[in-house]
Amino acid sequence: YSPVAVLNYKVSDKINLASRIEYYQDDKGVIISTQTLKGIKLWGFSTNIDYQLLRNLLVRIEAKNYSSKNPIFDHSLRLVSNNNAVTGSVAVSF
């Protein structure tokens, strides 16, 4: 199961801010396989800023953190309990 809460704030016609908190649990590793017998239980947090460059062009910058009780993330050939990322994306609609 995976409950999720999202907060969204429209700053202007072109700028939108959002934050998300989620919990994910897959005890048997059916959806996400891990190298532990305990499956996966993790919290996720993210925040992003969207900029509507054109009517059909959106740019997003997002920071994410995933935190697990057990070390499940591969980091430089060792397993760790946290995974952080800053990503950017461009979405085009037509």
Side-chain angles (χ1 to χ4, degrees):
Y1 62 92
S2 180
V4 176
V6 178
L7 295 172
N8 196 19
Y9 178 69
K10 188 170 185 169
V11 177
S12 69
D13 287 340
K14 293 192 175 264
I15 299 173
N16 192 63
L17 303 173
S19 290
R20 174 182 173 127
I21 183 171
E22 60 190 306
Y23 178 76
Y24 186 78
Q25 184 170 334
D26 182 3
D27 291 332
K28 306 229 187 284
V30 174
I31 304 295
I32 298 177
S33 177
T34 66
Q35 296 182 16
T36 70
L37 298 175
K38 299 177 182 177
I40 186 171
K41 294 178 184 176
L42 67 84
W43 285 95
F45 305 94
S46 68
T47 188
N48 66 275
I49 183 168
D50 294 340
Y51 182 69
Q52 191 79 44
L53 193 60
L54 300 171
R55 182 186 57 79
N56 64 337
L57 183 65
L58 181 81
V59 177
R60 173 176 284 182
I61 303 290
E62 184 172 21
K64 299 179 184 181
N65 170 268
Y66 292 110
S67 180
S68 172
K69 210 172 184 183
N70 300 310
I72 59 169
F73 301 106
D74 187 359
H75 180 70
S76 301
L77 301 177
R78 67 184 175 92
L79 293 178
V80 297
S81 297
N82 288 293
N83 187 29
N84 299 300
V86 175
T87 59
S89 63
V90 176
V92 179
S93 63
F94 47 93

